[in-house]
Amino acid sequence: MPVISDPLQYNAENVYVDLRPTFGRRLYLKCEGFNFAGSVKLKAAAEMVGAAERSGRLLPGTTLVESSSGNLGLALSIVAASKGYGFVCVTDTRCNAPVRAMMELYGARVHVITTPDPVTGFLGARIDYVRRLCAHDERYVWLDQYSNPGNWQAHYRRTAPAIAADFPGLDVLFVGAGTTGTLMGCARYFREHRPGVRVVAVDAEGSSAFGGPALPRMIPGLGTSVRPPLLDESYVDDVLHVGETDTIRACHRMAADGFLFGGSTGTVVSGALRWLAEHRAGKEVTALAIAPDLGERYMDTIYSKAWLRDHYADEEWMSPHWGLDDLAEPAPTVPTA
């Protein structure tokens, strides 16, 4: 029985879901949401803060500042609270309201960017704000998750070795692409230690990480409007893009079987199933996808009937527990006695 005195001391590394009963294909899901930050980002946050402490960048009175669409901001809120640092998270309007509320509960200040940069989108606007803030006051320290090597080193040292130990016969690994920290850490590890494992990057449609124009996206997490400085495509064996309606379909299909995952997980799972159907049809392979977070913080978005009705009114992918009429009309009121 683990007894801890610091939220960074607990992370359930070895939790996997077999998705064959749900999707009829042998695909395992590594669940990274069972820690106090609820996502894989706690590893990168702890690694980057630890490296900054060792280098002497973080001193008493320092305030951390970072741009985040949500999960890393929440992870840094917890790390900052546990270590006694201030923290400012610069996010945008796509950040889920529960995540913003939790960051503030941990003592973080949250600044929401409401207007995207005309070229680099919300991400570019967030980074510009962070740079101006740090230039104005030297007490602010920007960890810069987009180019910080600690972002990928956390997964090179922890995530990938855990997968390799638990799945010695692994054939293909699917990893979502955001900042590409998780992707590059895992890809570098397997290239060096298990080169026979294919590493497939799964990105969101409308993301420009691997080239192409940035387009509007509603679901935070994967995808970016600026090419990630950490990305080295030579370590990646294949890349595929997933539309947001396919992301939501995958999330709702898993929820129908009792597994509530976040939007990034739906994207990775949808992409993995498509890739396996196209490249490994009829073959029995061991495939694994990384699930960055759980789904509770998405109840106001991808699991909300009202949100889905507002943004995807013409789609018919909703939970099998929802009928078409149920989605279109509000629930009936119960008459009083």
Side-chain angles (χ1 to χ4, degrees), residues 101-171:
M102 284 188 284
M103 285 192 281
E104 291 171 343
L105 181 65
Y106 290 124
R109 288 179 286 156
V110 181
H111 180 81
V112 181
I113 299 293
T114 58
T115 304
D117 182 274
V119 176
T120 56
F122 275 117
L123 175 58
R126 295 195 326 241
I127 292 175
D128 286 344
Y129 183 89
V130 170
R131 285 176 173 152
R132 292 196 304 270
L133 186 64
C134 293
H136 177 72
D137 193 330
E138 62 181 14
R139 291 175 300 175
Y140 291 107
V141 173
W142 181 26
L143 294 174
D144 189 7
Q145 62 164 322
Y146 310 103
S147 61
N148 191 319
N151 193 345
W152 66 263
Q153 289 168 355
H155 305 289
Y156 182 92
R157 294 170 179 166
R158 296 182 59 186
T159 309
I163 293 170
D166 292 333
F167 289 84
L170 184 65
D171 295 300

Side-chain angles (χ1 to χ4, degrees), residues 97-262:
V99 173
R100 296 203 302 267
M102 284 188 284
M103 285 192 281
E104 291 171 343
L105 181 65
Y106 290 124
R109 288 179 286 156
V110 181
H111 180 81
V112 181
I113 299 293
T114 58
T115 304
D117 182 274
V119 176
T120 56
F122 275 117
L123 175 58
R126 295 195 326 241
I127 292 175
D128 286 344
Y129 183 89
V130 170
R131 285 176 173 152
R132 292 196 304 270
L133 186 64
C134 293
H136 177 72
D137 193 330
E138 62 181 14
R139 291 175 300 175
Y140 291 107
V141 173
W142 181 26
L143 294 174
D144 189 7
Q145 62 164 322
Y146 310 103
S147 61
N148 191 319
N151 193 345
W152 66 263
Q153 289 168 355
H155 305 289
Y156 182 92
R157 294 170 179 166
R158 296 182 59 186
T159 309
I163 293 170
D166 292 333
F167 289 84
L170 184 65
D171 295 300
V172 56
L173 174 66
F174 299 93
V175 189
T179 64
T180 68
T182 308
L183 173 64
M184 295 313 304
C186 291
R188 287 173 183 270
Y189 180 90
F190 280 101
R191 178 66 59 84
E192 294 177 17
H193 299 279
R194 296 267 295 279
V197 175
R198 291 185 64 83
V199 176
V200 179
V202 184
D203 201 3
E205 284 186 0
S207 168
S208 60
F210 293 89
L215 300 174
R217 290 171 287 110
M218 296 301 302
I219 301 174
L222 300 187
T224 178
S225 54
V226 178
R227 180 181 171 85
L230 295 177
L231 177 61
D232 184 341
E233 293 181 59
S234 68
Y235 288 95
V236 178
D237 295 299
D238 206 351
V239 179
L240 54 110
H241 291 80
V242 174
E244 290 191 330
T245 54
D246 291 328
T247 290
I248 299 169
R249 286 190 185 96
C251 286
H252 281 257
R253 184 65 192 87
M254 289 184 285
D257 278 1
F259 294 108
L260 194 67
F261 288 106

Side-chain angles (χ1 to χ4, degrees), residues 79-104:
V79 174
S82 71
K83 291 177 173 288
Y85 297 117
F87 175 53
V88 176
C89 180
V90 181
T91 188
D92 60 63
T93 54
R94 296 170 301 172
C95 180
N96 294 326
V99 173
R100 296 203 302 267
M102 284 188 284
M103 285 192 281
E104 291 171 343

